Amino acid sequence: MDRRLTPEPRRRGALRLKLGALVLCCRRRLYWHTGGLRFARSRPGAACPHLWAEHRTPLLRQLRGEDMALQRSKVTNLRLAAARLDGLTLAPGETLSFWRTVGRPTRRRGYVEGMILRNGHVASGIGGGLCQMTNLLYWMTLHTPLTVTERWRHGYDVFPDSNRTQPFGSGATCFYNYMDLMVRNDTPHTWRLSLRVTETHLEGAWRADAPRDRRYQVYEKEHEIRGEYWGGFTRHNTLFRRVYTLDGTELGDEFVTENHAIMMYNPMLEGDQPQSPADRPGESGRSSR
């Protein structure tokens, strides 16, 4: 893991942020059209009866200092995005792009204000809260043989650990359209994504046309909290996953990614201390966070 000092975050002006986002959005649209990718699509007749991974996360979490109204409004955003993603199939060689499928979240399309991060501060924005869906999709995909070809780590650790059941940094942030989550099917099988929003949870599953023949355990190493020269704190770790046969024989131990995030809370304050940095496994992709 890279142990260099983390530079102090820079505050860019609104105009620069807007122009930069415009350029990056245009680049991403060009890539979608010229990158030679074959994208996932709906195939109602494709049979994918075999469950490989499933996961569910609560829609509302009582977190200190967070406006619960923004959590309640994000449910609308999650329902709209789930309607576009639910039922998509990945044939061999195809790629799922979160933003190409969901599209731009706008008021005209029914999206409302939810929680976003802007320049390292909690704010509200149209379509806010969709990272809960990319978090869930990324976590489920890590428990399948599908290949994550693009994932953006969260640059800020927003809240202290609250009943965490997954390793720190096991999610994926998103921002339209250049911070995408992309998953490619490098297997010989067809896969289907299922997503739904209940009254209390966001639920998802990956199913395939071949039975499950292995299981995965995602865990962290080298967890560390550092005080930086500029006065803030940062949090770091690396993620790995062990691959097993269904009878428990280990097939491999794979590096997944490394995470570096600026902490938006003081880890030294009482009640803010993260859990033990010992390896905290995330089992099988079938738990709740």
Side-chain angles (χ1 to χ4, degrees), residues 86-97:
D86 180 52
L88 283 184
T89 60
L90 270 174
E94 290 185 341
T95 293
L96 169 64
S97 163

Side-chain angles (χ1 to χ4, degrees), residues 63-76:
L63 296 170
R64 185 177 60 197
E66 184 178 352
D67 185 354
M68 291 300 294
L70 293 179
Q71 286 204 60
R72 288 187 288 269
S73 62
K74 79 172 178 184
V75 177
T76 298

Side-chain angles (χ1 to χ4, degrees), residues 47-53 190-192 206-212 286:
C48 296
H50 303 286
L51 177 66
W52 275 71
T190 298
W191 297 74
R192 173 178 284 122
W206 275 118
R207 290 179 167 84
D209 61 5
R212 181 169 173 252
R286 301 189 180 189

Side-chain angles (χ1 to χ4, degrees), residues 187-198:
T187 78
H189 309 297
T190 298
W191 297 74
R192 173 178 284 122
L193 175 64
S194 300
L195 287 169
R196 69 170 185 156
V197 180
T198 70

Side-chain angles (χ1 to χ4, degrees), residues 17-77:
L17 289 172
K18 186 174 182 179
L19 291 176
L22 179 61
V23 171
L24 292 172
C25 281
C26 291
R27 286 182 180 175
R28 179 53 56 119
R29 288 184 178 275
L30 182 64
Y31 174 65
W32 285 341
H33 290 289
T34 64
L37 301 177
R38 294 189 293 115
F39 290 102
R41 58 188 177 89
S42 178
R43 297 178 176 89
C48 296
H50 303 286
L51 177 66
W52 275 71
E54 63 182 354
H55 192 52
R56 64 200 297 258
T57 57
L59 296 174
L60 304 179
R61 297 175 63 200
Q62 186 64 55
L63 296 170
R64 185 177 60 197
E66 184 178 352
D67 185 354
M68 291 300 294
L70 293 179
Q71 286 204 60
R72 288 187 288 269
S73 62
K74 79 172 178 184
V75 177
T76 298
N77 300 331

Side-chain angles (χ1 to χ4, degrees), residues 2-12 153 155-156 226-236 260-263:
D2 189 348
R3 296 184 179 276
R4 292 176 294 179
L5 291 177
T6 302
E8 185 175 4
R10 291 180 290 177
R11 308 299 182 188
R12 294 183 171 90
R153 64 185 179 227
Y156 290 88
R226 295 202 298 251
E228 300 294 344
Y229 67 94
W230 41 268
F233 291 91
T234 58
R235 191 172 182 180
H236 313 263
H260 309 280
I262 297 170
M263 302 178 72

Side-chain angles (χ1 to χ4, degrees), residues 100-161:
R100 187 179 184 275
T101 304
V102 171
R104 183 187 292 273
T106 63
R107 288 188 187 274
R108 186 173 182 178
R109 298 181 61 214
Y111 288 90
V112 297
E113 292 199 3
M115 192 186 78
I116 63 172
L117 285 181
R118 181 180 291 124
N119 283 337
H121 297 283
V122 174
S124 63
I126 301 300
L130 289 181
C131 64
Q132 181 172 349
M133 187 162 289
T134 51
N135 286 340
L136 178 135
L137 180 55
Y138 179 65
W139 178 252
M140 290 195 307
T141 303
L142 291 180
H143 294 84
T144 73
L146 296 172
T147 304
V148 177
T149 58
E150 181 177 346
R151 171 258 184 182
W152 294 80
R153 64 185 179 227
H154 291 273
Y156 290 88
D157 184 19
V158 183
F159 300 107
D161 291 355

